Amino acid sequence: MTHTLRNIQVPGAKSKALFDAEAQYLAPGTQSVALFSQLAIDRGTGAVLYDVDGNSYVDLLAGVGVASLGYAHPKYVAALQRQIARIHVGSFTTEHRAALVKLLAELAPGDLNRTQFYSSGAEAVEAALRLAKSRTGHTEVIGFWGGFHGKTSGVLPVLGSSFKHALGPLLPGAYLSPYASCARCAFDKTFPSCEWHCVAFLKQKVELETTKDVAAIIVEPIQGTAGNIVPPPGYLRVLRRLADELGALLICDEMITGFGRTGKMFAIEHENVIPDVLTVGKGFGGGFPMSGIIAREEIAFAKPFANPSGSSSSYGGNPLAAAAARITVETILEEGLVEHARPRCWPSCGAGSPTCRSSRTCGGAACCLAWTSWCPAHASCSTRRRPAGSSTRCCRGACLR
Ligand SMILES: Cc1ncc(COP(=O)(O)O)c(C=O)c1O
């Protein structure tokens, strides 16, 4: 399908020819936005992408939420060029990695000060789940309706969406409960008069469905893929208490929300809650495949996770990845990008936005995730009217799945 925008044909002839040539051999399953647009991209500068026909686009997707410095940031380019000419792979200590782990320990709240690196978000989430099992000796995991944590087999059971359909059987021991998604409350209740009905339900679920052997509660501070669902204030604190009662870890998955996207360095800072493990990725590496878990001091040494090679991976924290992440995080700090994002969140929110529950309780937190609203299907999206649990079919789901 081609679109004509002010006399510009999208995709242009060169894009279309390249797209078609690739499509002959590329296995299906590529991200929908690439399939819909059929663009062949030549380069990017700042927030702007240029296709091979010379058309330019403001990339409100930020490379699917990863290009936190935009494209071709001079410092980023220089750092990676320098590093690739020196050493790019291997697990030995490098100056960049040593500086990066120290920086993360300083930036992450509380005693979240032990980082291990991976290459994708799902890989980091799986590592966090392994760490939870190592630490607690428990086996079960709690996730949430609408939750998204990647697409690998180890995380499928904790996805609260249709991504896992037809991919069973899933690993046993996962239990899902409705998220505090108040605009589409699964129980048709209203906050705060509901008095955390969804949490009471979760407690009952643990009591009646699990073997009371819960290793972790895994939660996104703001559900991203589900459509930027901001829970009411206090939700993470309530989950923190529940995890403690169960002897389980609280894992906050900040893959989307981390590194400034919500106007704080990490979204958990809106709630002043310290999880046991923070999972990070996407914008962390500024576009280089880099993810990680940041664990509390007392948690990180649990075995077998902490055994030599027990939590490593071939590419995790390699010299090039460490350089990319260090320069990204340092540049976010140097250029004040977290503060820069803050005032820009708020006006673009608007209580009537389909993905925003209300500007009062949102606090603007979700609105920095604005790259999700680019999708051409957005105008026809009826997020507000969809039943709870079906939220991944929202506009974002349509273009980013
Ligand atoms: C909250 C969250 N966790 C994990 C992931 C998985 O990351 P990746 O695609 O790098 O595996 C995503 C991806 O969108 C995500 O939004």
Side-chain angles (χ1 to χ4, degrees), residues 3-361:
H3 310 273
T4 306
L5 305 166
R6 283 203 240 127
N7 298 329
I8 302 170
Q9 264 228 330
V10 178
K14 289 184 188 166
S15 266
K16 182 81 175 102
L18 255 182
F19 179 89
D20 288 346
E22 182 191 53
Q24 305 219 1
Y25 302 101
L26 186 68
T30 306
Q31 219 138 32
S32 304
V33 65
L35 297 176
F36 288 160
S37 68
Q38 306 194 357
L39 292 180
I41 295 297
D42 180 43
R43 64 196 169 88
T45 314
V48 179
L49 287 173
Y50 299 87
D51 72 15
V52 291
D53 293 284
N55 298 318
S56 55
Y57 309 84
V58 177
D59 180 13
L60 298 178
L61 288 170
V64 196
V66 298
S68 42
L69 303 180
Y71 296 98
H73 190 292
K75 281 188 199 159
Y76 187 77
V77 172
L80 265 72
Q81 281 175 338
R82 254 195 321 271
Q83 189 60 45
I84 203 163
R86 296 176 73 85
I87 176 82
H88 66 300
V89 288
S91 58
F92 296 114
T93 298
T94 57
E95 200 185 314
H96 282 308
R97 201 176 72 190
L100 179 61
V101 287
K102 183 165 180 284
L103 182 59
L104 293 172
E106 287 161 5
L107 289 177
D111 61 343
L112 286 162
N113 59 17
R114 292 279 175 176
T115 302
Q116 186 56 270
F117 298 110
Y118 301 93
S119 307
S120 78
E123 194 188 0
V125 170
E126 289 208 16
L129 296 176
R130 289 200 306 279
L131 175 57
K133 288 179 179 176
S134 297
R135 165 70 183 184
T136 61
H138 298 173
T139 57
E140 296 172 319
V141 184
I142 306 288
F144 293 92
W145 290 13
F148 184 75
H149 306 285
K151 293 173 195 160
T152 58
S153 293
V155 303
L156 283 183
V158 286
L159 301 197
S161 71
S162 58
F163 278 110
K164 60 192 181 187
H165 288 180
L167 297 176
L170 304 173
L171 287 175
Y175 300 84
L176 303 184
S177 199
Y179 191 74
S181 176
C182 300
R184 297 180 298 279
C185 176
F187 304 99
D188 221 7
K189 300 213 176 263
T190 307
F191 185 83
S193 61
C194 66
E195 296 181 349
W196 297 112
H197 183 84
C198 55
V199 179
F201 180 86
L202 169 57
K203 286 182 179 169
Q204 225 177 345
K205 188 174 185 77
V206 170
E207 213 45 53
L208 300 177
E209 292 183 26
T210 73
T211 64
K212 268 309 220 9
D213 194 40
V214 180
I217 297 177
I218 180 162
V219 64
E220 293 164 84
I222 293 170
Q223 283 192 332
T225 301
N228 294 348
I229 310 294
V230 186
Y235 188 51
L236 290 184
R237 280 196 293 280
V238 175
L239 295 183
R240 172 74 275 180
R241 271 201 300 280
L242 179 58
D244 290 341
E245 281 164 27
L246 295 171
L249 301 195
L250 179 66
I251 301 171
C252 285
D253 186 351
E254 291 242 24
M255 219 59 69
I256 287 189
T257 52
F259 299 101
R261 276 228 170 76
T262 69
K264 299 264 189 194
M265 185 55 82
F266 297 104
I268 50 170
E269 294 172 58
H270 291 284
E271 288 269 303
N272 286 326
V273 163
I274 315 292
D276 298 295
V277 185
L278 203 58
T279 54
V280 292
K282 284 199 179 275
F284 180 32
F288 198 91
M290 176 61 148
S291 64
I293 61 162
I294 310 177
R296 293 177 53 216
E297 178 76 17
E298 63 169 299
I299 306 289
F301 290 85
K303 294 184 173 182
F305 189 85
N307 283 333
S309 296
S311 57
S312 63
S313 70
S314 300
Y315 305 111
N318 69 63
L320 198 54
R326 180 190 179 186
I327 205 73
T328 299
V329 180
E330 283 183 354
T331 306
I332 287 172
L333 292 171
E334 279 164 22
E335 298 190 359
L337 299 185
V338 180
E339 296 73 29
H340 179 82
R342 210 168 291 150
R344 277 158 185 78
C345 301
W346 181 247
S348 64
C349 173
S353 151
T355 54
C356 189
R357 195 168 46 76
S358 99
S359 56
R360 185 178 57 80
T361 48

